[in-house]
Amino acid sequence: MAKISFSKLGLKVNNEVVNINFNDQVIEVKQYISVNDKLKLISEVINNTVDEHSFCNPVKVKVYLALGILDYYTNINFTDKQKEDPAKLYDILMSSGLASEIINAIPEEEYCEVICGVKESIDAFYNYRNSVFGILDTISTDYSNLNLDATEIQKKLADPDNLSLVRDVLTKLG
């Protein structure tokens, strides 16, 4: 079988844009975004939806995913003030039907790639966190945060200021 030079294929990144009209405004919807943009979008969704207990709230995922898709795939600009309340922005975009029109204008394969990327990333995060390596990593991090260096503790107890505080507390306790 004869090899063909890749450069002779004449391939380019798909920069196609589809226009939709909404409330007398023309909104451009990209038909493809780069892998780097997809990775940024997925990271932003996950980072904005993980709480202090490392739990990805599914409702937050839905909100930030919709907002991210509109941000990365369209020419719509959101102000910082609008971004301060993502729930309100999401409600406006969904209830008006704008989000649905934009999502319908994105090719199904492209849309599914982003949705699956978010889902698979969250699943991988949970799988790692609950694996032996993830548990050991958590224990190691927790242990290192305890700062149980015996020499350091001895130095702190030998400090005359700390020792007098301990004596005062013991005296008051009886």
Side-chain angles (χ1 to χ4, degrees), residues 159-174:
D159 183 356
D161 292 334
N162 291 340
L163 194 54
S164 65
L165 176 64
V166 171
R167 282 189 192 134
D168 289 346
V169 169
L170 290 174
T171 303
K172 290 180 181 179
L173 290 174

Side-chain angles (χ1 to χ4, degrees), residues 2 10 12 36 40 47 49 52 71 74 88 100 122 126 158 166:
K12 297 178 188 173
N36 285 333
K40 286 182 207 172
N47 289 335
T49 59
E52 66 276 0
D71 190 33
T74 71
K88 180 180 178 183
S100 295
I122 291 170
Y126 284 136
V166 171

Side-chain angles (χ1 to χ4, degrees), residues 135-148:
I135 292 168
L136 289 174
D137 192 26
T138 301
I139 290 170
S140 174
T141 302
D142 289 346
Y143 179 75
S144 67
N145 289 340
L146 289 177
N147 195 15
L148 290 176

Side-chain angles (χ1 to χ4, degrees), residues 24-171:
D24 298 325
Q25 298 296 314
V26 176
I27 299 169
E28 296 176 354
V29 181
K30 296 177 185 175
Q31 299 300 286
Y32 179 85
I33 61 172
S34 70
V35 170
N36 285 333
D37 283 344
K38 285 181 183 110
L39 291 171
K40 286 182 207 172
L41 171 57
I42 292 167
S43 292
E44 288 172 13
V45 170
I46 293 172
N47 289 335
N48 284 317
T49 59
V50 175
D51 66 12
E52 66 276 0
H53 303 293
S54 298
F55 171 73
C56 286
N57 183 316
V59 175
K60 283 185 175 181
V61 170
K62 191 174 182 178
V63 168
Y64 283 98
L65 183 56
L67 296 178
I69 287 172
L70 269 64
D71 190 33
Y72 279 85
Y73 280 89
T74 71
N75 61 335
I76 299 172
N77 291 317
F78 300 106
T79 66
D80 290 337
K81 179 85 172 149
Q82 291 166 330
K83 289 180 182 180
E84 285 177 6
D85 192 352
K88 180 180 178 183
L89 188 56
Y90 174 84
D91 287 339
I92 292 169
L93 293 166
M94 295 307 283
S95 66
S96 68
L98 177 59
S100 295
E101 283 199 38
I102 290 169
I103 290 169
N104 289 334
I106 298 170
E108 186 177 349
E109 185 177 334
E110 180 74 7
Y111 179 73
C112 288
E113 191 174 341
V114 173
I115 300 296
C116 290
V118 170
K119 184 185 180 325
E120 290 171 4
S121 295
I122 291 170
D123 289 346
F125 170 74
Y126 284 136
N127 287 337
Y128 172 76
R129 203 179 102 217
N130 294 324
S131 73
V132 172
F133 294 114
I135 292 168
L136 289 174
D137 192 26
T138 301
I139 290 170
S140 174
T141 302
D142 289 346
Y143 179 75
S144 67
N145 289 340
L146 289 177
N147 195 15
L148 290 176
D149 184 6
T151 308
E152 187 66 29
I153 292 171
Q154 185 180 13
K155 285 180 185 176
K156 288 179 181 177
L157 288 175
D159 183 356
D161 292 334
N162 291 340
L163 194 54
S164 65
L165 176 64
V166 171
R167 282 189 192 134
D168 289 346
V169 169
L170 290 174
T171 303

